[in-house]
Amino acid sequence: MKKIIFIIALLILPFGKTMAQQTPAKVQSEAITITGATAHIGNGEVVENSIIIFENGKITDVGASGSATPKGKIIDASGKHLYPGFIAPNSTLGLVEIAAVRASSDDTELGSYNPHIRSIIAYNAESKIVESMRPNGVLIAQVTPRGGRISGTSSIVQLDAWNWEDAAIKLDDGVHINWPDSYTRGRWWLGEEPGLKPNKEYTKQTKELKEFVLEAKASLKAKDIANKNLPHYAMKGVFEGSKTLFIHVSAEKAILEVLSFSKEYGIQKTVIVGGDEAYKVASQLKQNNISVLLKRTHTTPNYEDDDYDQPYKNAKLLMDAGVLVALQNSGGMERSNARNLPFQAGTVAAHGLDKEKALQLITGNSAKILGIDTITGTLEKGKEATLFISIGDALDMRTNQLEKAFIQGREISLESHQTKLWKRYSNKYGQ
């Protein structure tokens, strides 16, 4: 019997080895000191020839060389760059593996009003797409549902874990609303003119949304908690301020209506997601303390009268007006392209924004908007040691070459399905 089990194990071993994901790193067991690197703090500051020490998963010292005594394992990063882990908001990482395979697609729920749907439950920590983020420095993500008028509730995870419980940094951080489009494009496949035209259903759709919100507020006042309406009850945190309301909206007119909606219904924390024309109402956003998660930089302008480089300079226009801004990657091939966030920030820097401010778009600013800035997002004492060493400028695809990366002090693997294929075929054609 033992011989049979041994033979079966030998047969399974090669298959398991080729299919297995990278094993999550073990808990940090000794202090680590990184010396000599140019440290990009993530709040606009840069420390040349830095020293950073972390133990038990937390940063204990950070400053210029000589400001602290090295402890434990010492890593000499002279001539290299040190960054906080990049953050990918509004992503479906871990929710969809192969879009064409329905069984591996879990980012959308049936129905239109689903604030009670928790995306974190469906998160697959062993996703090969998740694994492919890390070699570019993307170490944290907001896992966000899609579809419907109210898609559901997002959560924030770190990208090196056995399961969603281990991955979670902040559970149920916000509810996501897809605001009705004030304009629609003609469906050419039905013989309609392909250009933009007013959405005839806009008033009806916004009225339905507002009615749901009113019903939710009224429902929460009811004393019969035993028979509570789950979708309504899921909105409780939005009204109390413990959850952020992320409203996906792009057009100027619709953004202004969102501001009125937020005031009218007492929403304490509102974030605009997408915001193509947010720069046109920047002063109102600033006045109302509304943050913006801009859609991907690497795209074409939405409208014929937009400047050709409008997507590249939107972030600078908003930041110059005092609006808190970060980048996200919604759009086509959103999941796989999330790893390109640093290069999108680099494009913003190439079009007028200071390089360190551009870095904030995917580090410190993202953390503030997602409500995790007390624990991560910048290289500061007391925060989690989620960071990486790059041989060169991490916002430039030519020099973004990670040498080491750490999540909560754990040194993680930078191997992925793609790096394995690269090595395999490099060897083949190199011969």
Side-chain angles (χ1 to χ4, degrees):
M1 183 66 181
K2 288 183 179 180
K3 183 181 288 186
I4 294 172
I5 293 173
F6 180 71
I7 292 171
I8 292 172
L10 287 176
L11 290 171
I12 291 174
L13 183 61
F15 178 78
K17 188 174 181 180
T18 58
M19 295 300 289
Q21 304 300 106
Q22 290 299 319
T23 302
K26 295 181 179 179
V27 174
Q28 184 180 4
S29 59
E30 64 173 329
I32 296 175
T33 301
I34 300 174
T35 63
T38 297
H40 303 266
I41 305 302
N43 60 4
E45 298 178 21
V46 179
V47 180
E48 303 287 349
N49 191 22
S50 66
I51 181 171
I52 184 168
I53 304 171
F54 52 95
E55 53 185 323
N56 299 320
K58 297 289 183 68
I59 298 173
T60 57
D61 284 287
V62 58
S65 180
S67 63
T69 303
K71 294 174 63 177
K73 179 182 177 181
I74 298 175
I75 299 173
D76 182 6
S78 299
K80 297 166 186 172
H81 297 259
L82 185 66
Y83 294 88
F86 298 151
I87 302 170
N90 183 38
S91 78
T92 55
L93 289 169
L95 299 182
V96 179
E97 196 68 7
I98 303 171
V101 179
R102 183 65 187 90
S104 74
S105 180
D106 208 3
D107 63 338
T108 305
E109 188 56 77
L110 295 174
S112 296
Y113 292 88
N114 297 309
H116 57 302
I117 297 300
R118 304 176 66 218
S119 62
I120 189 66
I121 300 299
Y123 178 70
N124 174 21
E126 295 186 336
S127 165
K128 284 188 175 181
I129 303 174
V130 167
E131 187 180 80
S132 71
M133 299 296 112
R134 303 195 299 246
N136 279 13
V138 178
L139 306 181
I140 296 172
Q142 181 191 41
V143 180
T144 307
R146 297 283 188 257
R149 184 62 63 211
I150 301 183
S151 303
T153 300
S154 58
S155 290
I156 302 165
V157 298
Q158 51 84 6
L159 304 184
D160 182 64
W162 286 105
N163 48 52
W164 70 260
E165 291 97 332
D166 293 343
I169 293 177
K170 186 176 182 179
L171 290 173
D172 306 327
D173 69 294
V175 172
H176 292 255
I177 287 179
N178 297 303
W179 193 264
D181 291 322
S182 50
Y183 287 89
T184 61
R185 291 191 180 274
R187 297 167 294 179
W188 58 267
W189 59 92
L190 294 179
E192 298 176 357
E193 289 294 326
L196 284 172
K197 58 184 179 181
N199 177 10
K200 295 179 181 179
E201 299 293 316
Y202 181 75
T203 301
K204 177 185 175 183
Q205 291 167 349
T206 52
K207 182 181 178 182
E208 288 176 351
L209 174 59
K210 291 174 181 178
E211 285 176 351
F212 176 85
V213 174
L214 278 174
E215 289 170 1
K217 292 193 82 168
S219 179
L220 291 172
K221 295 178 182 178
K223 296 180 180 180
D224 187 11
I225 301 298
N227 295 316
K228 62 189 177 185
N229 180 297
L230 285 178
H232 290 167
Y233 196 74
M235 296 292 289
K236 182 179 180 181
V238 170
F239 301 130
E240 294 178 345
S242 60
K243 289 182 182 178
T244 301
L245 186 63
F246 294 90
I247 302 183
H248 299 240
V249 60
S250 292
E252 176 186 5
K253 177 180 181 292
I255 292 173
L256 289 174
E257 293 206 23
V258 164
L259 297 184
S260 299
F261 167 83
S262 185
K263 280 184 179 180
E264 182 180 353
Y265 295 96
I267 309 301
Q268 298 183 38
K269 298 178 183 177
T270 302
V271 173
I272 300 296
V273 183
D276 290 346
E277 295 190 305
Y279 69 95
K280 294 182 178 180
V281 292
S283 59
Q284 291 95 320
L285 292 172
K286 168 64 176 174
Q287 183 180 350
N288 290 278
N289 196 31
I290 304 294
S291 305
V292 179
L293 288 173
L294 278 174
K295 82 170 190 182
R296 70 171 61 176
T297 305
H298 296 162
T299 187
T300 54
N302 267 5
Y303 307 105
E304 291 180 358
D305 57 348
D306 283 346
D307 292 343
Y308 76 93
D309 58 352
Q310 194 64 57
Y312 307 150
K313 62 185 182 182
N314 278 343
K316 184 180 187 304
L317 293 172
L318 286 166
M319 291 185 77
D320 287 348
V323 179
L324 181 61
V325 186
L327 294 181
Q328 47 97 20
N329 195 62
S330 59
M333 297 183 67
E334 168 259 311
R335 284 174 297 282
S336 55
N337 280 332
R339 62 187 174 184
N340 291 329
L341 270 176
F343 314 138
Q344 295 185 40
T347 299
V348 173
H351 285 77
L353 191 64
D354 175 79
K355 178 65 75 70
E356 296 307 314
K357 286 186 177 180
L359 175 65
Q360 288 178 252
L361 295 172
I362 55 174
T363 55
N365 286 9
S366 298
K368 286 179 183 177
I369 291 173
L370 300 183
I372 55 174
D373 54 305
T374 59
I375 59 173
T376 192
T378 55
L379 302 177
E380 296 181 87
K381 185 176 180 179
K383 293 191 177 183
E384 291 183 350
T386 298
L387 49 91
F388 64 88
I389 300 170
S390 175
I391 292 175
D393 180 357
L395 302 191
D396 187 331
M397 65 177 65
R398 297 167 297 182
T399 54
N400 177 306
Q401 299 178 46
L402 270 63
E403 191 172 77
K404 290 183 180 292
F406 302 84
I407 291 179
Q408 297 169 337
R410 302 175 291 113
E411 184 172 356
I412 65 171
S413 171
L414 294 175
E415 284 291 316
S416 72
H417 179 65
Q418 291 170 329
T419 59
K420 289 174 183 174
L421 289 176
W422 168 65
K423 290 176 181 176
R424 177 183 179 185
Y425 287 101
S426 291
N427 290 335
K428 175 182 178 182
Y429 293 109
Q431 295 172 359

